[in-house]
Amino acid sequence: MKRPGIVLILSGFPRRSETFALQEALALYRRGLLTAIFATKSGDGLPPQPGCEELLAQVQLLPAGAVEEQAAVIVQRLIGEPVAGIHAYFAHTPTAVAMQVAQELGVPYGFSMHAKDARKVTPAELNRRARGAACVVACNPDVARAVTDPNAPIRMISHGVDLERFSPQPLPAEPPLRLLAVGRLVEKKGFDTLLRAVTNLKFPYTLSIIGDGPEKAHLGALIEQFGLQERVSLHGGVTHAELPNAYAQAHIVVVPSVVDRSGDRDGLPNVLLEALACGRPVVASDIAAIDSAISHDATGLLTPPGEPVALAAALNRLAGRPDLRAALALNGYQLVARKFDLQDCSSRFCGLIEKIYKLEPKAATLRSVADIAIIQERVMTPARS
């Protein structure tokens, strides 16, 4: 008889910016822990990250609709499948769907939180969802603090970085010093702060910003306004197949994150860990969970978010201290190898998922059309207030 497994519910898939979700889904799949994978919406249409092709044939895209409608589709598709639990990736819609499916099948549910998803539901609703879960996996301390219920089963497991793909490479020749920033071109990445900062640099430099997004036109206008066309370039988005070469061409990586006008912010950006894995010194904003990887003057430099003068001062300091750059790069790499190795993090994540859902001995298997008709009726009937 087929071993009961986990049903994984994702948000948009594939999405190039959500490498962490892909890596953990791949780890579960390769470990044989999954019965099925569903996505509540389609991906972003961009070229996917390496490894995505392994999951594309496994992921079932749900038709657009209300939570109850998507839950009913999942329940129907699970006829005859042994299910030990439902795990959602992201605290908003995927978790709402997971809760509904789990209730109907009589199995536990849990979910993983990353950053913005925890702020897409009210604090009270997030606590309710966490309180009823078998586990809530938080990838950094900042997002873990979003759940304030002391009885919620929070587990901290960091996203990892692939140390085979991202590894130290020889530094390019200098001058000029080559600065690099990577991320979606959105407000919370703080790239406008970075552009203001580089107008105060006192050394020869170039700056490459890699990413796509709605802030592209605004950033391009700032580059022209500040007369930076000869020094600063916007390169568009790339996949993980291309990123290692970008890090290899840089001397310093800048992560100038801010809290945007909606209150959204990064947690612990993957780019920061990738840069450290590549042996590059990092200057980053002291915000959210960045200090869980960057200790000032030890594994990188921290500056107040949204303050271009302070950011420029840190970059000027590093430019004049090649010994400090080398020390930060070495310490940063050692930290990532010790705490954020993808294989170790993925193994801990899979171990937790396996343990949590095996604690519930009951596994549901839908066996007939009659079963599904009864459950569909319950799922699709609105709850009474």
Side-chain angles (χ1 to χ4, degrees), residues 184 243 255 283 355 362 385:
R184 291 189 65 233
L243 265 181
V255 185
V283 179
K355 177 181 177 182
K362 181 179 179 182
S385 57

Side-chain angles (χ1 to χ4, degrees), residues 251-323:
H251 294 100
I252 300 171
V253 176
V254 190
V255 185
S257 303
V258 298
V259 179
D260 71 15
R261 283 166 288 187
S262 73
D264 189 24
R265 61 189 180 273
D266 279 325
L268 178 59
N270 277 13
V271 59
L272 188 151
L273 300 179
E274 292 164 3
L276 296 180
C278 289
R280 296 306 186 254
V282 171
V283 179
S285 296
D286 190 2
I287 192 175
I290 285 178
D291 65 358
S292 64
I294 299 296
S295 298
H296 187 63
D297 268 350
T299 57
L301 297 183
L302 292 172
T303 65
E307 296 192 15
V309 173
L311 179 54
L315 291 170
N316 282 324
R317 180 183 172 211
L318 269 189
R321 291 281 308 277
D323 59 326

Side-chain angles (χ1 to χ4, degrees), residues 327-340:
L328 296 179
L330 176 59
N331 293 342
Y333 175 79
Q334 291 175 339
L335 172 81
V336 168
R338 186 171 67 251
K339 291 183 59 177
F340 297 100

Side-chain angles (χ1 to χ4, degrees), residues 232-254:
V232 179
S233 53
L234 300 176
H235 287 281
V238 301
T239 71
H240 270 187
E242 302 162 277
L243 265 181
N245 183 61
Y247 291 120
Q249 298 303 313
H251 294 100
I252 300 171
V253 176
V254 190

